[in-house]
Amino acid sequence: MTNPPLRAAPPLRAAIVPVTPIQQNCTIIWCTATMKAAVIDPGGDLPQIMAAVEQAGVTVEKILLTHGHIDHAGGAKRLSNDLGVPIEGPHEADRFWLQRLDQDGPKYGISGGSISSRTGGWSRVIRCRSATSCSMCTRRPGTPRGT
């Protein structure tokens, strides 16, 4: 009897954490080789997000925002401050939404701080087509477009 071939660990893993009363999906993605991670759309419920980070055993290096709605960005400022990591995204066109997170939060039972200045650069975020009108893609500095 022969043993089946060994499969390499997947290079990227993800965990989904439903957050906020809206139950929006916050995603934690990480490299299985380095265990370095990004938190995507931390709308709120930061203790749940941090529990998932600890369970995965990863080190968060950045926060990514796909767009500026309260259920996606409401917890980003606090998480960024707590972890000492930058926020990248959303596209500059969403600046209006980021500046009014404090106003929008109470309407939906979400507490979050408005984001008026960011450590991630607006220039790294580009609009991309997707299922929603407000999505973003990032591009590494020096990478040619279309790659």
Side-chain angles (χ1 to χ4, degrees):
M1 183 163 98
T2 61
N3 292 328
L6 295 176
R7 290 187 188 189
L12 187 66
R13 301 238 12 225
I16 296 174
V17 183
V19 296
T20 76
I22 300 169
Q23 292 294 280
Q24 181 276 128
N25 287 332
C26 169
T27 305
I28 303 163
I29 59 169
W30 67 91
C31 169
T32 57
T34 65
M35 298 304 283
K36 293 180 180 178
V39 176
I40 303 171
D41 292 342
D45 298 328
L46 298 186
Q48 290 174 242
I49 295 170
M50 288 309 301
V53 165
E54 289 174 22
Q55 183 178 3
V58 298
T59 301
V60 176
E61 289 203 325
K62 65 177 70 176
I63 296 167
L64 301 174
L65 297 178
T66 60
H67 61 281
H69 294 166
I70 185 68
D71 58 321
H72 289 255
K77 181 178 181 181
R78 190 170 125 214
L79 188 61
S80 172
N81 290 341
D82 289 352
L83 297 176
V85 299
I87 299 170
E88 291 187 20
H91 188 271
E92 187 172 4
D94 280 13
R95 187 184 306 233
F96 166 80
W97 296 109
L98 296 178
Q99 292 173 341
R100 57 176 290 121
L101 293 175
D102 286 328
Q103 297 166 311
D104 291 341
K107 297 176 191 174
Y108 302 99
I110 302 169
S111 63
S114 293
I115 302 170
S116 56
S117 63
R118 304 181 16 255
T119 52
W122 293 109
S123 61
R124 295 182 62 178
V125 177
I126 55 175
R127 286 272 190 203
C128 61
R129 292 181 184 247
S130 73
T132 65
S133 62
C134 44
S135 294
M136 54 80 82
C137 299
T138 62
R139 187 167 52 98
R140 290 184 188 160
T143 304
R145 289 191 182 268
T147 58

